[in-house]
């Protein structure tokens, strides 16, 4: 079913998506917010640029964007997939607690902030390019994988990565030379076991966006993990 987004008021677009009984293709998208919020059982293709909170509270649906997306992609998503064939804005994966996000290009500030895992749910976000500052801020669980396929010569991540991190893992392709991490995390070369953990997600990224898995894996990764059960102690308590 094709839905021309300009034919619907913003509050009625999701109602039309839920009433559709097959794959939904949304056309003429230009900044409409909350597309797919809470959606559990649909496949949605989007032509154009969706607005903030695409797939917020997503609960099993698959959303593919054939362009860029704005801020808060996958806000508090619980299950499903979001695939973006471009870049995303700030706070992608905010409080994400399950499902997977794959971004072909770059992400803005605070990607993966407050990401968490519980029970059998493991949220995973794969960013193909670079990320802005505060990547993985207050991360409590899940995996963030940044592949550094950008070509602008900038660092793979901006300032203050993993600030307040107290769970989960962040993987940055290549070494971490020139990146300053906070004292409550440990950055180390990824072991073969670490790489095995992320290999299925790198393979899926490559299948989605048409790149070479072996080429991405041969450069190795830096893995960042919390090094204390109380990461805030150094920030608020004088020792």
């Amino acid at each position: 079913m094709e839905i021309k987004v300009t034919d619907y008021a913003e509050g009625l677009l999701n109602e039309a998506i839920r009433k559709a009984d097959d794959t939904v293709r949304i056309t003429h998208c230009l900044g409409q917010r909350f597309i797919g919020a809470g959606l559990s059982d649909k496949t949605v293709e989007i032509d154009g640029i969706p607005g903030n909170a695409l797939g917020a509270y997503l609960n099993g649906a698959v959303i593919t964007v054939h362009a860029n997306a704005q801020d808060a992609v996958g806000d508090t998503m619980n299950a499903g997939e979001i695939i973006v064939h471009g870049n995303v804005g700030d706070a992608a994966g905010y409080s994400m607690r399950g499902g997977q996000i794959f971004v072909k290009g770059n992400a803005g500030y605070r990607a993966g902030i407050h990401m968490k895992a519980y029970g059998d749910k493991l949220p995973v976000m794969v960013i193909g390019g670079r990320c802005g500052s505060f990547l993985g801020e207050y991360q409590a669980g899940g995996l963030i994988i940044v592949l550094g396929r950008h070509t602008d010569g900038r660092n793979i991540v901006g300032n203050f990565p993993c600030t307040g991190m107290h769970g989960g893992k962040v993987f940055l392709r290549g070494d971490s030379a020139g990146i300053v991490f906070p004292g409550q995390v440990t950055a180390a070369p990824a072991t073969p076991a670490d790489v095995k953990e992320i290999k299925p997600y790198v393979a899926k990224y490559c299948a989605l966006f048409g790149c070479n898995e072996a080429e991405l894996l041969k450069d190795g990764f830096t893995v960042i993990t919390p090094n204390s059960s109380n990461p805030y102690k150094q920030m608020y308590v004088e020792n």
Side-chain angles (χ1 to χ4, degrees), residues 46-130:
I46 300 177
D47 294 329
I49 300 175
N52 291 357
L54 170 74
Y57 304 101
L58 198 72
N59 198 34
V62 177
I63 299 176
T64 300
V65 181
H66 298 283
N68 298 327
Q70 293 183 359
D71 297 343
V73 169
D75 182 348
T76 324
M77 71 181 285
N78 188 55
E81 294 180 10
I82 299 177
I83 300 157
V84 180
H85 287 260
N87 304 318
V88 297
D90 297 339
Y94 176 82
S95 287
M96 182 182 179
R97 58 197 185 199
Q100 299 174 8
I101 297 175
F102 294 89
V103 179
K104 181 178 183 181
N106 303 324
Y109 293 164
R110 290 189 159 91
I113 180 174
H114 289 298
M115 182 186 282
K116 61 203 71 175
Y118 179 75
D120 61 351
K121 291 188 178 297
L122 179 73
V124 177
M125 183 160 52
V126 183
I127 307 297
R130 69 177 303 275

Side-chain angles (χ1 to χ4, degrees), residues 115-117 122-124 139-144 165 167-170:
M115 182 186 282
K116 61 203 71 175
L122 179 73
V124 177
Q139 184 181 351
L143 302 176
I144 301 174
M165 180 183 187
K169 297 179 182 179
V170 172

Side-chain angles (χ1 to χ4, degrees), residues 32 59 141 168 215 238-239:
Q32 286 79 11
N59 198 34
E215 284 294 313
E238 184 176 349
N239 292 316

Side-chain angles (χ1 to χ4, degrees), residues 6-239:
T6 50
D7 290 342
Y8 294 87
E10 188 171 83
L12 299 178
L13 178 60
N14 279 329
E15 183 178 339
I17 294 170
R18 288 187 174 88
K19 287 180 177 178
D21 57 5
D22 54 9
T23 298
V24 178
R25 190 167 200 103
I26 298 173
T27 64
H28 300 79
C29 192
L30 189 61
Q32 286 79 11
R33 301 172 296 167
F34 304 107
I35 293 175
L39 201 62
S40 60
D41 60 352
K42 292 287 187 299
T43 298
V44 180
E45 303 273 339
I46 300 177
D47 294 329
I49 300 175
N52 291 357
L54 170 74
Y57 304 101
L58 198 72
N59 198 34
V62 177
I63 299 176
T64 300
V65 181
H66 298 283
N68 298 327
Q70 293 183 359
D71 297 343
V73 169
D75 182 348
T76 324
M77 71 181 285
N78 188 55
E81 294 180 10
I82 299 177
I83 300 157
V84 180
H85 287 260
N87 304 318
V88 297
D90 297 339
Y94 176 82
S95 287
M96 182 182 179
R97 58 197 185 199
Q100 299 174 8
I101 297 175
F102 294 89
V103 179
K104 181 178 183 181
N106 303 324
Y109 293 164
R110 290 189 159 91
I113 180 174
H114 289 298
M115 182 186 282
K116 61 203 71 175
Y118 179 75
D120 61 351
K121 291 188 178 297
L122 179 73
V124 177
M125 183 160 52
V126 183
I127 307 297
R130 69 177 303 275
C131 293
S133 298
F134 299 101
L135 171 69
E137 186 178 31
Y138 303 116
Q139 184 181 351
L143 302 176
I144 301 174
I145 305 163
V146 187
L147 298 177
R149 299 181 66 223
H150 59 294
T151 57
D152 60 8
R154 301 173 69 186
N155 272 348
I156 193 170
V157 65
N159 298 322
F160 313 112
C162 306
T163 299
M165 180 183 187
H166 54 287
K169 297 179 182 179
V170 172
F171 289 83
L172 305 179
R173 182 166 157 252
D175 63 39
S176 58
I179 301 172
V180 178
F181 295 98
Q184 80 271 10
V185 303
T186 298
T191 66
D194 292 324
V195 174
K196 183 178 179 181
E197 182 178 10
I198 65 170
K199 187 175 180 179
Y201 307 111
V202 176
K204 186 166 184 175
Y205 174 94
C206 291
L208 287 168
F209 302 120
C211 55
N212 188 300
E213 176 188 347
E215 284 294 313
L216 291 179
L217 293 175
K218 73 181 178 68
D219 294 328
F221 287 80
T222 297
V223 58
I224 301 96
T225 55
N227 64 7
S228 170
S229 61
N230 183 8
Y232 305 102
K233 183 176 181 182
Q234 296 177 27
M235 300 169 68
Y236 298 114
V237 178
E238 184 176 349
N239 292 316

